[in-house]
Amino acid sequence: AQSVTQLDSQVPVFEEAPVELRCNYSSSVSVYLFWYVQYPNQGLQLLLKYLSGSTLVKGINGFEAEFNKSQTSFHLRKPSVHISDTAEYFCAATGSGNTGKLIFGQGTTLQVKP
Amino acid sequence: ETGVTQTPRHLVMGMTNKKSLKCEQHLGHNAMYWYKQSAKKPLELMFVYSLEERVENNSVPSRFSPECPNSSHLFLHLHTLQPEDSALYLCASSQVAKGGNEQFFGPGTRLTVL
């Protein structure tokens, strides 16, 4: 069965430091991969997506992610975080079938400290 | 209105009440989804509608009853809920025909069952 694993439930980091949020997926077929961000009391907002082509994907708010097929990973990175980046981050992959279903990871809470 | 809207944003109900959550998408998409997000738990996919037909029902109790009258609207009818049903309920939509299956989320309805 397909699955998405986010390896860290919480990541504390100081402002202006770099950060990496880890995501691994398992799938026997080609997948599309996504990172979403959720601010308190809001819905999920798409940060970036990998469909095909270049394995380095750039998204909004200075985030980027690298698709690594051999390691089945799609880690999210930002070279310098801001207090406003404090939020919950979700990695997701396309599910089986043709319903547009996504498989979500458990989420990672990014806590940016001053 | 743009994107995906949900009403109400907050709802408090007793265990014997009947209420409905409404979702509307203004994106011309052909698939809609209900998710449940509880504290400290991953996103739970509840229902998937594709072309107005329910294509997935993830063992959701019958006290939750979805309705999709057309491709733009999705309802979640609630009756005789339990306190453990208190959560953030998120609606999303996507265009399944295109590659990528990117889902667009509404802001959610914060439900409290007393």
Side-chain angles (χ1 to χ4, degrees), chain B residues 3-109:
Chain B
V4 181
T5 57
Q6 290 186 244
T7 55
R9 292 294 310 276
H10 300 272
L11 178 62
V12 179
M13 59 186 289
M15 293 168 59
T16 58
N17 291 158
K18 289 185 179 182
K19 296 286 184 183
S20 296
L21 310 185
K22 178 183 176 183
C23 175
E24 184 173 1
Q25 59 99 357
H26 309 267
L27 301 167
H29 288 163
N30 59 11
M32 296 185 77
Y33 314 82
W34 277 118
Y35 290 88
K36 176 184 178 182
Q37 187 178 33
S38 304
K40 308 297 182 184
K41 286 187 177 181
L43 281 167
E44 299 174 54
L45 179 63
M46 300 174 73
F47 301 104
V48 179
Y49 275 83
S50 179
L51 299 173
E52 301 160 38
E53 179 183 345
R54 190 191 312 177
V55 295
E56 188 153 337
N57 176 346
N58 286 329
S59 304
V60 179
S62 60
R63 56 185 184 271
F64 294 91
S65 175
E67 179 190 1
C68 186
N70 55 61
S71 60
S72 299
H73 293 87
L74 185 65
F75 294 89
L76 188 63
H77 303 300
L78 317 171
H79 65 97
T80 59
L81 294 191
Q82 304 297 312
E84 60 264 29
D85 297 322
S86 298
L88 182 68
Y89 288 85
L90 293 165
C91 173
S93 70
S94 72
Q95 183 63 18
V96 177
K98 289 183 183 177
N101 295 336
E102 172 186 343
Q103 289 185 13
F104 292 78
F105 283 80
T109 294

Side-chain angles (χ1 to χ4, degrees), chain A residues 10 32 34 36 38 41-46 49 51 88 90 94-95 97-102 104-106, chain B residues 9 31 33 35 37 42-43 45 48 50 55-56 88 90 94 96 99-107 110:
Chain A
Q10 290 189 339
Y32 301 131
F34 308 83
Y36 285 86
Q38 184 180 31
N41 298 314
Q42 294 186 27
L44 277 66
Q45 178 185 1
L46 184 70
K49 60 185 176 184
L51 304 182
E88 189 82 10
F90 293 93
T94 44
N98 194 30
T99 62
K101 172 179 162 180
L102 291 179
F104 281 88
Q106 302 91 325
Chain B
R9 292 294 310 276
Y33 314 82
Y35 290 88
Q37 187 178 33
L43 281 167
L45 179 63
V48 179
S50 179
V55 295
E56 188 153 337
L88 182 68
L90 293 165
S94 72
V96 177
N101 295 336
E102 172 186 343
Q103 289 185 13
F104 292 78
F105 283 80
R110 174 70 63 187

Side-chain angles (χ1 to χ4, degrees), chain A residues 21-100:
Chain A
L21 306 183
R22 297 180 293 169
C23 172
N24 285 91
Y25 67 93
S26 67
S27 175
S28 58
V29 299
S30 297
V31 295
Y32 301 131
L33 296 161
F34 308 83
W35 274 100
Y36 285 86
V37 61
Q38 184 180 31
Y39 299 104
N41 298 314
Q42 294 186 27
L44 277 66
Q45 178 185 1
L46 184 70
L47 271 179
L48 48 79
K49 60 185 176 184
Y50 172 79
L51 304 182
S52 65
S54 172
T55 57
L56 184 63
V57 181
K58 294 191 182 296
I60 62 171
N61 301 342
F63 283 93
E64 62 182 32
E66 185 156 19
F67 171 62
N68 188 319
K69 188 174 182 179
S70 62
Q71 297 186 4
T72 60
S73 67
F74 190 55
H75 300 334
L76 181 70
R77 301 186 183 101
K78 186 169 182 177
S80 176
V81 294
H82 303 288
I83 295 288
S84 59
D85 293 322
T86 296
E88 189 82 10
Y89 291 79
F90 293 93
C91 182
T94 44
S96 58
N98 194 30
T99 62

